[in-house]
Amino acid sequence: LNSLTVTGKTAATARSATVILMVNHLVLNGSLTLSNNQSYFDANSSNNLNVTLKGDFFNSGTYYPRSNTTTFNGGLQSILGASTTSFYNMVVNPVTSLTQGSGSINVDGNLTLSSGQLLCGNYSVNLKGNFTNNANYTDNGTGVRLIGTTAQQNISGSGTFSTLELNNPNGARLLSSITLNKDLKLTAGILNINQYKLTLGVNSNITGTSFSATKMIEVDGAFSNVGILKYFPIYNGTDVTFTYPLGVSSKYTPAVFTYTKNDVVGYIRVNAINSYHPGVLDRNKVLQYYWEVENSAVSGVNGKMELYYKDADVRGSEPDYVAARTVGATSWSKAAPDPTTDNVDESTNKITFTYAGANDLNGEYTAGEDPAFPNNIPQFTSQKDGDWNDKTVWLQTGGDSYTLTGAPNGFIVTISAADTVTLNENSAFTYRMQINGTLKAVQPY
């Protein structure tokens, strides 16, 4: 059909006008209009027949989508009318745009943005299902609200995200890396970003209160994860604070970045790793947790990074802890070991790192007893074929002097081009490894 109008009688004796789809899906080359509060459109509760339209949807009546899919695939389209429209599955696929012209809409199933733009304006999309965005949407501070109540919601897509709110006690989960141009609002639930990257633009923030192990951004806790990346503007003024409200399962360990100066637009990325840092001399005298910080382009930074840890991750003597971060992937920079200079507040479980005119914030950040951190991480290179845990296979070629008693676990390792090293144990690990020769694994590894 071209356009379809359903008009009930409102004058004198009111009479409803109801259209029910019986057999086939409805495809409209024009618009669908429900003229007044006596106008009904029913997609059929038994057949859940789909509706596709290239024109506008004017709803001043009642639209029963049942469990169907409503698709907008025209050019310039709008959703108008006096009624609040509820869809089940909704697909936004216009050539140019779909505009919410008169109010917020509800999506009880899944929302898919395939092409064009969804222009929300001052209104929101209240979504109970999954969100796939391969296009983009804009809003004035409302955007897409994840309000499911019975299950975790999935978020994916290569498109650009605007305002996104999580208000689902069961949380939401990323299935791909996403980029937000406006705010991420954490109202209820955990946003599990897995191994993916959550990117926030210069004008984006993470809003919410009382972040905790039940309301935060959760990462998998592995070094291979990416974490949260935030762009910061050029700035010179009073304190500005941005909180990375991240943690791992059942453990909230935020990073709080405060700055007064930044000379170039750039980003700072933070990831949390649920393990002790491998490049230490004694794993039982350091925090069993660390943060990876990466920056690009930021310059002349004055400020500080505050990292919050859990008592359950403390090993060794906490009063003797010092703040420590890797520098250049080969060395440790450590605070002086004294309660007034160690930059570890045991009462609040806070580790503080300060910056003055800094261009390089890169490194892995943690804390522990001073002797557990070498000034320069030992480096070993293979000198013959042999087993991983055979100390005679290895020749120290850099870092602080260290006498091996077995495998070079936790250090910087290079396997020479002419050598074959066999992994013959199940606890082999390094801080950095370069394989020029052959690394061969055998049981029980």
Side-chain angles (χ1 to χ4, degrees):
L1 301 176
N2 189 47
S3 293
L4 174 65
T5 299
V6 182
T7 303
K9 183 181 178 183
T10 58
T13 303
R15 298 181 185 277
S16 64
T18 302
V19 170
I20 302 176
L21 299 183
M22 298 304 295
V23 178
N24 295 317
H25 304 297
L26 175 63
V27 178
L28 295 176
N29 290 327
S31 299
L32 174 61
T33 300
L34 307 183
S35 301
N36 53 45
N37 61 9
Q38 292 296 319
S39 308
Y40 298 87
F41 185 98
D42 192 333
N44 194 316
S45 60
S46 298
N47 297 336
N48 301 304
L49 296 168
N50 298 330
V51 175
T52 300
L53 62 157
K54 295 182 181 295
D56 296 333
F57 185 5
F58 184 92
N59 181 19
S60 288
T62 301
Y63 179 67
Y64 293 114
R66 305 308 179 181
S67 296
N68 82 341
T69 297
T70 304
T71 300
F72 293 83
N73 66 347
L76 287 168
Q77 297 179 268
S78 296
I79 300 175
L80 304 166
S83 298
T84 298
T85 302
S86 293
F87 300 100
Y88 190 71
N89 295 323
M90 180 182 181
V91 176
V92 179
N93 189 33
V95 174
T96 305
S97 64
L98 172 65
T99 300
Q100 290 179 231
S102 58
S104 297
I105 60 176
N106 302 319
V107 180
D108 294 332
N110 300 325
L111 172 64
T112 302
L113 308 186
S114 298
S115 68
Q117 285 187 308
L118 174 61
L119 306 178
C120 301
N122 294 321
Y123 307 115
S124 64
V125 179
N126 303 310
L127 174 63
K128 293 183 178 180
N130 300 325
F131 184 18
T132 302
N133 177 18
N134 289 311
N136 70 80
Y137 66 98
T138 64
D139 62 81
N140 297 328
T142 49
V144 177
R145 303 177 63 238
L146 305 177
I147 60 166
T149 57
T150 60
Q152 186 181 67
Q153 296 174 260
N154 294 326
I155 307 167
S156 63
S158 57
T160 300
F161 292 72
S162 190
T163 303
L164 182 66
E165 179 181 355
L166 174 59
N167 190 7
N168 180 352
N170 295 295
R173 186 178 184 90
L174 290 192
L175 302 182
S176 64
S177 296
I178 67 170
T179 298
L180 275 73
N181 284 335
K182 290 193 175 181
D183 290 351
L184 171 64
K185 300 179 179 181
L186 294 182
T187 303
I190 294 172
L191 176 58
N192 188 337
I193 64 175
N194 302 297
Q195 73 268 32
Y196 300 110
K197 179 170 59 180
L198 173 64
T199 298
L200 302 167
V202 170
N203 298 316
S204 301
N205 207 340
I206 300 175
T207 65
T209 59
S210 303
F211 296 127
S212 67
T214 59
K215 190 172 76 169
M216 64 175 180
I217 297 172
E218 182 179 317
V219 297
D220 285 349
F223 185 79
S224 58
N225 295 171
V226 188
I228 304 170
L229 186 154
K230 171 72 173 82
Y231 280 90
F232 293 94
I234 296 172
Y235 182 77
N236 190 0
T238 57
D239 284 358
V240 174
T241 296
F242 177 83
T243 297
Y244 295 79
L246 81 172
V248 299
S249 179
S250 303
K251 192 186 297 184
Y252 178 55
T253 54
V256 180
F257 176 57
T258 302
Y259 66 105
T260 59
K261 182 174 177 288
N262 176 43
D263 294 338
V264 181
V265 175
Y267 69 75
I268 299 173
R269 179 181 64 83
V270 179
N271 182 37
I273 296 91
N274 193 27
S275 171
Y276 64 87
H277 194 283
V280 299
L281 301 177
D282 190 340
R283 70 181 73 175
N284 293 312
K285 293 184 178 180
V286 299
L287 195 68
Q288 307 295 289
Y289 203 92
Y290 66 99
W291 295 258
E292 178 198 10
V293 177
E294 178 194 35
N295 76 274
S296 175
V298 293
S299 176
V301 174
N302 294 338
K304 61 183 177 180
M305 184 74 76
E306 296 170 311
L307 306 170
Y308 290 83
Y309 62 92
K310 295 298 182 184
D311 287 331
D313 289 325
V314 173
R315 297 290 186 277
S317 175
E318 186 179 8
D320 295 324
Y321 270 21
V322 299
R325 59 174 281 210
T326 58
V327 178
T330 59
S331 304
W332 283 100
S333 175
K334 300 177 286 185
D338 183 89
T340 61
T341 59
D342 60 18
N343 292 335
V344 178
D345 187 338
E346 294 85 1
S347 64
T348 59
N349 290 1
K350 180 175 68 175
I351 313 166
T352 301
F353 298 84
T354 58
Y355 310 115
N359 301 326
D360 184 4
L361 283 59
N362 295 297
E364 289 109 42
Y365 293 52
T366 189
E369 297 181 37
D370 181 84
F373 299 101
N375 292 318
N376 299 290
I377 299 172
Q379 302 179 38
F380 291 89
T381 302
S382 66
Q383 58 184 340
K384 64 177 184 179
D385 295 348
D387 291 338
W388 176 266
N389 60 0
D390 181 355
K391 65 181 182 180
T392 68
V393 168
W394 306 103
L395 175 68
Q396 183 163 10
T397 52
D400 292 358
S401 178
Y402 187 86
T403 301
L404 286 178
T405 58
N409 287 337
F411 300 133
I412 300 171
V413 174
T414 300
I415 298 177
S416 298
D419 298 334
T420 297
V421 176
T422 303
L423 285 173
N424 58 342
E425 59 179 33
N426 59 7
S427 60
F429 62 95
T430 66
Y431 175 50
R432 295 281 191 272
M433 175 182 281
Q434 180 173 325
I435 303 174
N436 298 325
T438 302
L439 181 64
K440 181 173 68 174
V442 297
Q443 293 297 333
Y445 186 78

